[in-house]
Amino acid sequence: MMSKVLLLTFVFSLTTVFHNGKGLAALTGDTNNVVNDGLSDAYRLPDTTEPVSYELWITPAIESNSFHGQVDIVLRAKQYTAEVILNSKDLIVSSLSTFQDLKTNRTLAIKDYVYEERNERLVVKLEKLILPSRLYKFTVVFSGILREDYTGFHKYFYDSGNQSRWIALTQFKPIYARRVFPCYDEPKFKTPYTISISRERQHTALSNMPLKRIKFNQQSDMVWDHFETTKPIPTYLVAFMVSDFDKNSVNGDNIAMHTRKEYIEYTTYMMGKAPNLLKGVEKFTRIPYMLPKLDLVGIPLLSAYNMENWGLNSYEEFFVTLSEDSQTEDKIQGTMTILHEILHQWFGNMVTAPWWDVEWLNEGMCNYLNYYITNMLEPEWEMEESFVENVHQFALSWDEYDDTHPLTFAVSTPDDIVNAFDTISSDKSAALFRMLECVVGEDYFRISVNKYLDDYAYMVAGPTDLWNTFDYVLYDFDYVIEDDVSINMYMDSWTKQPGYPLITVTSTGDGRYNVSQKRFSLSYPRQTTEDVKWFVGLTYTTETEMDFEELTPSVWLKPTDEHTIMTVPEDSGWIMFNIQSSGFYRVNYDEKNWKLLLIQLITKPDRIHVLNRAQIIDDAFHLCRAALVPYNYYTSLLEYLLMEDHVTPWNTAVTGLSSIMGAIRRYPTEYSMFKEYAKGLADILYDKLSGNQIHNNKTKIGWSKLLSWTCNMGNSRCVKSASTHFDGWMNGHEIPSEMEEAALCVGMKKANLTTLSKIYKLYKTTRSPSQQKIILRALACAENLQTLLSHLDLMRLDVANRGSLQSFKTVCENVVATPAGVKALVGFLSRKLDTIRSSPVGDDLHKYIAVVYSALAPKVATDEEIVVMDKIRRSVKPGDLKAVLDGIYQKIESNLLWMERDHKKIMKAIIKM
C-alpha cells in the first residue's frame, strides 16, 4: 500500500533494529529466560492488571553508552491472576522484587519472569494469585543501551564552536518507552509519574514537570534532580533530558525556551510569539493550560523531530531560533510547528486516544486547528487557502486508489503501530474535521469540541465519544443537520471506509439536477467493485446567486440513495458544487455546465471564489485521468490562467502539469510537444510574477515554487534573471528569497568546481532547514549524469539517521524532476542491486530503497527503467519492504496503462489549443 511507504521512510520508520532485534539481553548473554519458541500472537497487554503510579529513577552513562535505573510500580489487580505482564524491549532486568500488598503489607514471591522477544513483553509469574481491586507494589531494576537511533532514551553529539557536546533525551512515541523501563506501554494506561534523573553538576535536567528538589552527592560530582509528580499520562508522553542548554523565559509566563548556549539569543522572536500561541489554544478550547510550566526545547540536529511530550515539547532547533527578519514562509512554518505540539497538550495529552488505530483523531484535530488558530492570529497569511492546497488536495490525491485504507483500521503488532501514521491519518482526518465544522457551523463545532475536552479530561476517549458529544450538543440546541442523520452515522461513513465519493451532477432541464455518488478511483484497471457510499452534505451556488460564503450543506446524499433530484430557478446559469472545497469529494458535471464554468473563468474569474477556481482545475485533471471527461476540458480550463493572479490555482495547475510530464516521457515526441505547451503557460506565469501581479506580491508567499517551475520549463527571462542573481551571490550579494531556489538551480547547471564548492558550503553552514531543502533541490538540477550520481552517493545509503534519510528523500524527489535525473537515479538503484539482494530483512538500507523507489514510481516511463524497478522489487526478500515495493509497483503499472490509453488524447487536446 502506498500509505506504508510514507510510514516506513519518514514518520517513525527512522528507527534501527538493534542487533537484528535480539535485544541487549541477547547481546550480553544474559537473556533473562528469553522465550523464542511457541510465542503467543497477543501483542496487546491483557486486561488483568493496570498501573496506578510509577516512580522512576534513571542514570545515564554517556561514556559507556548506557543507562541504568529503577522503577517502582503500583498496580491494581482487575481480576484474579498469577501473571503480571509488562512491555519491555532491549533491557536487562537485574532484579525484580516481591509484590507487596499495600493493604496488608504482605508479600507475594515471584516464581519466575520471562521475556517474550517477539511480543516485546516481560511476563512476571507469581507464586500465588493476586486479588481484584487490591493495590500491589513491586520494583524492577534494569539497564539498557543509550541509543543512537532517536528512539527511547538516546544521545547524540553536536558541534558547539570548537567543541563537541552531547545531549541525552527521550522519544517514546509511539512504543519506545518500553526500551527504557518495563511498563504498560499502551496509551489507554494513563498514570501519574514521579521522575528522578541523575546528572553531572555542570548539566541540567528537564522533565514533564517542574523541579521539586535537588540532592547533591558529596562523594561524587553527581546530582539527583527530583521532579514533581505528573498528572495521569500515557507512557509515550513521559519525557526527560540532560544537557548543558541555556534557558530563555519571560517573567510571569509559564513558557521557557531551551537551546544550546550560542543560539539562546536567537530565541527572542519565537519566545515573544509562543505565549500568544498558547493563549490562542486556551481561547479556542476555553480550558486553561493545565500544567505549571511548558518547556520548548530546540534540538540541534536539523530534521530531528518535533514531539508533544506533556510540559516538555521538543522541536527542530530552527523553529525556536527564527527572527523578525526571517522569511515569511519560515515564520509560517515555525509558528505552525510550535503551535501543532502545543495543541497536542489538549488533544492527545489531556484527552488520549485509547489505542493507535484511532490516534488519527488527535493528529487530524491538531492539524486542522493549527491552520484555524494560525489564521486567527495571523490573518494576512491566508491559512485557509494554504490548507486547501497543502492538506485537502494532497489528501484527495493520496486517497484516490483502490488499495488505500480507512482512517480506522486494525492495528496490533509493533510494526502495525509504526505504520499507522501516514498522510491518510494526518491530512485526510484534518480535511474531515474542516468538513464537519462546515456541516455543523463554527459555533457548534467549537462548543462540541470543548465539551468533549471537558467531559474526558485526563481520560481516554475515541472517535465515538467525540461524535456522541456532537450529537448531544446539537440535540440540546435543537439543531438537526439532516433528518435521520446523526453525527455518529455521518462521520463513521467517512472514517471507517476507504476513499471518497465522486459527485456527478447532470441537468435534466427546467432547473432540475440529478445528483449521485460513486467512489472515485484512479486505479487502472479497477481492483475492487465494492459499492461504497457515504453520507454526503452538498453545498452549491449558481451563476445568478453567486454565494460562495454559505458552507452549510443544503442537499444530502445518503448511502441508501441511488440519487437525489434538486431544483434551482430556471435560467440560473452555471451551477457549482463543493463551495470553497469544504467537502472531501470531487465533482463532475455534464458538458453544458463545464462549458458555462469555463466561460465564466475566461471572462471574469474573480466572480468564482479562489478556492473553487483551484478546485475546478484539480477536479478536472483527476477526472481526465479517470477517463470521465475529455482532456480538452482540462486544457481549455488552463487557458483561463491568463486571467489568474492568485498563487493557489497556479500551484494546483503546476502539480497536474508536472504529473503528465512525468508519465508522458515514455513517448518522446509527445513529451517534447507537451513540454512546449507547458512552457507557454510558464511564460504567462513568469510575466505575472516579474510584474508583481500575483496575489501576495508583498509577502511573496508561494512564489519560490512557481519561479523554479518557470525556470525549469525554460522561460528565458526567468533563466536570465536567476543566472544574474546567482552570479551576484557568487560575488557576495544576497539572492531574493523567492528567487533563491531558481538561482541555485541555474548555478548547479553550470556545475564547475567553484560553484559546487560554494553551494555545498552553504548547505553545511545554513541554520535554516528550508534553505537546506532548497539547496538539496538545486543539486538535482545538475544536467551532468556523473554529477547527479556523485550527489546521490553523498547521501549515504549505509547510515540511517533522520538527517541523512530526510536529505536523501529531498534529493531523490527532486532529481526525478528531469529525465536525466530519473535515468541517474534508476542507474544508482541498479548499481545497488547486489547489495539489496544480500541485505538482511530489517537492514537500514531498506529504508533508503523505499525512498528511492517511491520517488521514482510516478516518474519512470521507459522500458529500461521499468525493467529495473521490477527487478528491484523481485530481488527484495519477503517482508514489509517487499509488500511496500509491490504496492508501489502497482502504481507504476497504473501510470503505464494511463499513458498508453491517453497519450494521444492529451496531444489532441493541446494541438486544438
Side-chain angles (χ1 to χ4, degrees):
M1 291 170 55
M2 284 292 285
S3 59
K4 289 187 73 176
V5 180
L6 194 74
L7 276 306
L8 200 73
T9 55
F10 313 129
V11 187
F12 293 102
S13 61
L14 301 168
T15 64
T16 55
V17 179
F18 183 69
H19 286 269
N20 293 327
K22 299 299 183 184
L24 182 61
L27 180 66
T28 60
D30 182 358
T31 61
N32 286 336
N33 298 317
V34 172
V35 177
N36 289 308
D37 299 317
L39 288 177
S40 163
D41 285 328
Y43 291 93
R44 296 289 300 273
L45 296 176
D47 195 31
T48 53
T49 63
E50 61 184 4
V52 174
S53 68
Y54 292 84
E55 288 190 47
L56 178 64
W57 289 264
I58 290 286
T59 300
I62 300 298
E63 296 77 11
S64 60
N65 295 324
S66 64
F67 63 86
H68 61 270
Q70 172 183 312
V71 62
D72 294 345
I73 303 176
V74 175
L75 63 82
R76 176 185 293 108
K78 300 180 71 176
Q79 62 187 59
Y80 291 101
T81 182
E83 282 189 344
V84 172
I85 301 178
L86 309 171
N87 290 116
S88 180
K89 181 176 174 60
D90 297 342
L91 295 173
I92 297 174
V93 174
S94 54
S95 71
L96 206 157
S97 74
T98 58
F99 277 50
Q100 180 185 7
D101 183 331
L102 294 184
K103 182 174 182 180
T104 64
N105 284 328
R106 295 177 185 170
T107 59
L108 282 80
I110 294 173
K111 181 190 299 183
D112 193 11
Y113 58 93
V114 296
Y115 175 57
E116 291 185 350
E117 178 183 338
R118 176 182 169 191
N119 294 354
E120 301 182 0
R121 307 196 312 182
L122 178 68
V123 181
V124 181
K125 300 181 179 182
L126 302 171
E127 292 285 359
K128 295 181 180 180
L129 296 173
I130 56 177
L131 305 178
S133 301
R134 287 287 178 90
L135 300 183
Y136 296 87
K137 181 179 180 179
F138 66 104
T139 299
V140 186
V141 179
F142 54 87
S143 58
I145 287 290
L146 198 57
R147 306 174 72 93
E148 297 182 357
D149 64 358
Y150 307 99
T151 72
F153 194 24
H154 60 277
K155 56 98 176 178
Y156 64 84
F157 291 88
Y158 62 92
D159 293 330
S160 180
N162 296 323
Q163 291 183 303
S164 179
R165 298 181 181 274
W166 57 264
I167 177 175
L169 71 163
T170 56
Q171 170 62 39
F172 288 170
K173 188 175 182 179
I175 50 171
Y176 304 138
R178 64 187 65 175
R179 299 181 176 190
V180 181
F181 61 101
C183 57
Y184 293 76
D185 198 11
E186 294 186 4
K188 72 175 182 179
F189 296 112
K190 300 185 70 169
T191 317
Y193 282 78
T194 304
I195 297 171
S196 299
I197 305 295
S198 177
R199 59 172 175 85
E200 296 176 350
R201 289 175 184 261
Q202 69 269 27
H203 292 121
T204 57
L206 294 173
S207 188
N208 303 90
M209 296 295 287
L211 186 65
K212 184 176 183 179
R213 69 180 187 277
I214 300 174
K215 184 176 181 180
F216 293 93
N217 187 327
Q218 302 302 324
Q219 284 74 42
S220 71
D221 286 333
M222 301 303 291
V223 177
W224 275 102
D225 285 338
H226 301 281
F227 296 91
E228 294 180 11
T229 301
T230 72
K231 292 181 180 292
I233 60 175
T235 49
Y236 79 87
L237 293 174
V238 174
F240 43 86
M241 64 174 286
V242 178
S243 72
D244 61 355
F245 281 7
D246 274 2
K247 174 182 177 181
N248 183 3
S249 61
V250 177
N251 289 335
D253 281 326
N254 55 351
I255 299 180
M257 286 189 172
H258 306 258
T259 67
R260 47 180 156 168
K261 300 177 187 298
E262 60 267 37
Y263 282 160
I264 196 67
E265 63 181 285
Y266 297 113
T267 61
T268 302
Y269 174 74
M270 289 308 296
M271 189 64 226
K273 290 184 71 72
N276 290 332
L277 299 179
L278 185 67
K279 290 171 185 174
V281 183
E282 290 177 325
K283 181 179 180 181
F284 176 84
T285 62
R286 298 186 179 178
I287 298 175
Y289 178 61
M290 58 297 294
L291 297 187
K293 62 92 175 177
L294 176 59
D295 288 314
L296 311 179
V297 182
I299 307 300
L301 181 65
L302 292 177
S303 301
Y305 46 70
N306 308 300
M307 181 58 200
E308 70 269 19
N309 303 309
W310 213 352
L312 182 59
N313 293 358
S314 56
Y315 299 94
E316 183 179 337
E317 184 177 69
F318 166 75
F319 296 123
V320 301
T321 57
L322 293 165
S323 71
E324 189 67 55
D325 297 329
S326 296
Q327 296 176 20
T328 302
E329 293 191 8
D330 282 344
K331 290 179 181 178
I332 294 173
Q333 187 182 13
T335 298
M336 295 187 70
T337 299
I338 289 178
L339 177 57
H340 183 93
E341 308 310 332
I342 290 177
L343 278 160
H344 267 303
Q345 310 303 296
W346 283 258
F347 300 94
N349 297 10
M350 188 179 78
V351 181
T352 306
W355 185 238
W356 300 109
D357 58 349
V358 292
E359 175 59 15
W360 59 261
L361 186 154
N362 294 313
E363 288 300 327
M365 185 67 78
C366 291
N367 196 2
Y368 173 56
L369 291 180
N370 200 356
Y371 283 83
Y372 181 94
I373 293 174
T374 301
N375 196 53
M376 289 195 318
L377 298 175
E378 305 283 356
E380 72 278 6
W381 289 350
E382 299 181 339
M383 300 309 299
E384 182 83 357
E385 295 165 19
S386 178
F387 181 90
V388 169
E389 179 186 342
N390 297 321
V391 178
H392 176 89
Q393 289 183 0
F394 189 60
L396 286 172
S397 68
W398 262 82
D399 202 24
E400 61 192 1
Y401 292 94
D402 290 344
D403 64 351
T404 59
H405 64 79
L407 276 172
T408 301
F409 67 103
V411 173
S412 58
T413 71
D415 285 343
D416 288 342
I417 293 169
V418 171
N419 288 339
F421 298 86
D422 63 1
T423 298
I424 301 295
S425 62
S426 63
D427 287 349
K428 179 180 180 178
S429 56
L432 295 185
F433 280 122
R434 176 173 177 261
M435 181 174 73
L436 176 59
E437 186 202 23
C438 294
V439 166
V440 303
E442 187 175 6
D443 289 340
Y444 292 143
F445 181 83
R446 181 184 52 76
I447 292 169
S448 300
V449 170
N450 294 352
K451 177 173 171 56
Y452 164 79
L453 291 173
D454 273 331
D455 289 351
Y456 295 99
Y458 310 107
M459 299 165 63
V460 295
T464 299
D465 300 307
L466 179 59
W467 312 149
N468 286 341
T469 303
F470 270 88
D471 281 329
Y472 296 149
V473 167
L474 296 184
Y475 177 83
D476 289 343
F477 282 94
D478 197 23
Y479 183 88
V480 178
I481 61 170
E482 171 67 1
D483 290 340
D484 302 321
V485 179
S486 67
I487 297 299
N488 243 308
M489 297 162 58
Y490 173 61
M491 292 305 293
D492 276 356
S493 75
W494 290 94
T495 61
K496 294 184 177 181
Q497 300 181 138
Y500 57 86
L502 170 68
I503 305 301
T504 300
V505 182
T506 306
S507 172
T508 59
D510 302 324
R512 291 164 59 86
Y513 288 90
N514 183 303
V515 184
S516 61
Q517 65 163 303
K518 186 176 182 179
R519 181 177 177 181
F520 182 74
S521 174
L522 282 191
S523 292
Y524 182 65
R526 290 295 302 267
Q527 299 170 25
T528 179
T529 57
E530 185 180 6
D531 186 22
V532 180
K533 290 188 176 181
W534 294 259
F535 286 96
V536 188
L538 299 169
T539 55
Y540 71 92
T541 191
T542 64
E543 185 174 0
T544 55
E545 188 180 24
M546 300 293 282
D547 182 2
F548 285 95
E549 301 305 319
E550 180 54 68
L551 304 183
T552 305
S554 54
V555 176
W556 282 81
L557 272 175
K558 301 177 183 178
T560 54
D561 297 334
E562 287 297 320
H563 63 270
T564 189
I565 300 295
M566 53 167 291
T567 305
V568 300
E570 288 191 61
D571 302 322
S572 292
W574 49 256
I575 193 168
M576 176 175 290
F577 279 74
N578 203 7
I579 304 305
Q580 294 190 36
S581 289
S582 53
F584 197 71
Y585 55 84
R586 299 195 186 278
V587 187
N588 191 12
Y589 305 99
D590 55 31
E591 182 179 7
K592 179 182 177 181
N593 199 68
W594 275 114
K595 289 181 177 177
L596 290 173
L597 288 172
L598 173 62
I599 292 169
Q600 181 67 74
L601 288 171
I602 291 175
T603 54
K604 293 183 178 179
D606 288 347
R607 296 191 69 194
I608 295 178
H609 194 282
V610 62
L611 293 180
N612 284 104
R613 303 201 299 270
Q615 173 217 346
I616 291 171
I617 294 172
D618 192 46
D619 283 355
F621 169 67
H622 288 85
L623 290 169
C624 289
R625 279 208 57 176
L628 295 172
V629 299
Y631 278 92
N632 65 313
Y633 282 25
Y634 180 59
T635 54
S636 297
L637 277 172
L638 295 183
E639 277 190 85
Y640 107 85
L641 291 173
L642 182 65
M643 305 283 290
E644 181 58 72
D645 294 334
H646 201 289
V647 293
T648 302
W650 270 106
N651 273 323
T652 302
V654 166
T655 299
L657 290 167
S658 298
S659 295
I660 294 176
M661 286 189 64
I664 208 170
R665 191 172 54 83
R666 182 172 178 81
Y667 304 92
T669 301
E670 286 82 354
Y671 173 75
S672 297
M673 293 174 64
F674 191 83
K675 185 174 182 181
E676 191 62 28
Y677 164 75
K679 181 181 176 299
L681 292 170
D683 292 343
I684 294 170
L685 175 58
Y686 185 75
D687 287 343
K688 291 176 176 290
L689 291 166
S690 61
N692 279 339
Q693 298 171 28
I694 290 288
H695 182 72
N696 278 338
N697 59 64
K698 290 184 179 179
T699 60
K700 294 181 168 53
I701 296 172
W703 282 34
S704 179
K705 175 183 174 182
L706 295 178
L707 278 165
S708 296
W709 182 74
T710 59
C711 281
N712 288 335
M713 286 297 101
N715 178 273
S716 58
R717 292 174 59 207
C718 181
V719 172
K720 182 178 179 181
S721 175
S723 184
T724 299
H725 283 300
F726 180 78
D727 291 341
W729 177 71
M730 290 292 290
N731 292 316
H733 299 288
E734 293 290 322
I735 305 174
S737 60
E738 71 275 8
M739 181 57 76
E740 185 173 31
E741 184 172 336
L744 292 176
C745 179
V746 167
M748 271 306 301
K749 291 179 180 179
K750 299 181 179 181
N752 59 59
L753 189 59
T754 304
T755 296
L756 292 175
S757 177
K758 184 163 183 179
I759 293 177
Y760 186 68
K761 182 179 179 181
L762 177 62
Y763 172 73
K764 296 298 289 184
T765 57
T766 180
R767 288 179 47 247
S768 165
S770 58
Q771 188 175 52
Q772 272 204 331
K773 290 175 183 177
I774 285 172
I775 297 166
L776 289 172
R777 289 196 291 266
L779 293 178
C781 296
E783 294 177 339
N784 181 284
L785 285 178
Q786 195 57 45
T787 303
L788 276 172
L789 288 171
S790 69
H791 290 317
L792 290 168
D793 282 325
L794 275 177
M795 303 297 110
R796 296 173 59 188
L797 265 184
D798 59 338
V799 176
N801 66 66
R802 268 176 213 268
S804 68
L805 186 59
Q806 291 285 0
S807 299
F808 185 73
K809 168 184 174 285
T810 300
V811 170
C812 290
E813 289 181 344
N814 289 278
V815 160
V816 298
T818 65
V822 173
K823 184 176 179 180
L825 196 52
V826 169
F828 174 79
L829 200 54
S830 182
R831 289 191 293 109
K832 300 292 180 182
L833 186 57
D834 288 340
T835 306
I836 294 168
R837 285 194 179 111
S838 61
S839 174
V841 174
D843 189 89
D844 297 331
L845 175 66
H846 285 187
K847 303 182 184 75
Y848 289 82
I849 299 305
V851 169
V852 181
Y853 208 86
S854 181
L856 280 169
K859 299 295 184 177
V860 292
T862 68
D863 288 337
E864 180 184 2
E865 293 163 355
I866 293 165
V867 165
V868 172
M869 297 292 280
D870 191 31
K871 192 178 293 184
I872 293 294
R873 74 177 177 113
R874 294 179 186 277
S875 299
V876 173
K877 297 176 182 179
D880 283 343
L881 179 63
K882 182 167 178 57
V884 167
L885 300 192
D886 286 345
I888 299 173
Y889 192 79
Q890 292 178 12
K891 304 303 184 292
I892 295 174
E893 291 179 327
S894 183
N895 271 352
L896 285 176
L897 292 171
W898 164 44
M899 204 42 60
E900 181 181 345
R901 182 195 69 194
D902 288 358
H903 71 281
K904 291 183 179 178
K905 296 177 183 177
I906 294 170
M907 287 304 103
K908 186 177 179 181
I910 66 170
I911 289 170
K912 284 186 176 181
M913 297 298 295

